[in-house]
Structures are given as C-alpha cells and as structure tokens.
Amino acid sequence: MTKKTIVALAALSVMALISSRVSVYDCSEMTSEVACSHRGTLLIERIDGEVTTENMDGRVLNASNPAYDYINYKGVDANKGDIIRTYCVYNPMTNGEDDILLRIDFVKECNK
C-alpha cells in the first residue's frame, strides 16, 4: 500500500466515525435523488472502470446510463486495459451531487 492510500483510508475511517450513517452505492444504483439527499450521511459510490487510452481516459463498466460512462484516470498508476475500482466519498455536510471529498482508485486487474 502506498502512503497516499494509507492516508486516504485513514481519512475515510475518521469520516465514518464522525458520521453515524454510512451508505454505499454501486454506480449503477446512484441517482441524482440519492446524491442530492445524502446530507448527514457518509455516501460512498463504488465505480468499476477500464482505462481505454494511453491518455488515461476510461469508461465506467457499471454505469446505469451508457451516455455517462466517461471517467478519467490521470494520476492513477495504471495502464491502458487495466480495470480500476474507484470509491468516491461525498461530503456529508452538503447535498451537492458533485461534492466529492475523497476519491480512491485501486487497480483490480492489470493488463500486461
């Protein structure tokens, strides 16, 4: 585990302790209604994706709507063809549907 991952996991643990309510949603289950009504709940979204280009562009494999399947993996130590698991932690103090406090990316499968 990298130092960055350890710090991110520690921050996530602290946020979970502060918040008495935690909800984890698969990307395919996320709706704007869920994202806009999570105030007071630590909302975590789980995304599976694939790196599709050398520029670290990707596509979400578990998107509920294929029109919204783009994701970017710049800054992730991965290669084209790798499968990435991403966790997005939303700010529990707001109802902002794009107010993500923390994003953690893990390479699930390497394409070597």
Side-chain angles (χ1 to χ4, degrees):
M1 250 188 220
T2 67
K3 191 178 218 179
K4 181 180 175 184
T5 302
I6 292 169
V7 170
L9 290 173
L12 182 58
S13 299
V14 169
M15 286 189 288
L17 290 172
I18 292 170
S19 175
S20 61
R21 297 174 28 197
V22 177
S23 295
V24 180
Y25 283 84
D26 187 78
C27 180
S28 64
E29 303 168 324
M30 279 295 287
T31 63
S32 61
E33 291 81 17
V34 169
C36 291
S37 62
H38 70 274
R39 187 178 183 127
T41 299
L42 188 64
L43 178 62
I44 302 170
E45 180 180 13
R46 180 181 50 245
I47 303 167
D48 289 324
E50 178 182 9
V51 181
T52 57
T53 70
E54 299 297 330
N55 291 331
M56 302 307 288
D57 297 307
R59 70 180 175 95
V60 175
L61 301 174
N62 58 337
S64 60
N65 184 341
Y68 300 102
D69 71 347
Y70 177 80
I71 190 165
N72 188 285
Y73 293 110
K74 284 187 180 161
V76 179
D77 187 16
N79 299 298
K80 181 179 177 182
D82 289 354
I83 304 297
I84 310 293
R85 163 82 38 100
T86 300
Y87 292 97
C88 292
V89 181
Y90 290 77
N91 185 349
M93 305 308 285
T94 72
N95 276 330
E97 66 182 308
D98 61 352
D99 191 359
I100 296 171
L101 290 177
L102 177 65
R103 174 178 161 171
I104 307 170
D105 297 283
F106 297 96
V107 177
K108 281 181 60 176
E109 297 176 28
C110 293
N111 182 27
K112 293 186 179 187

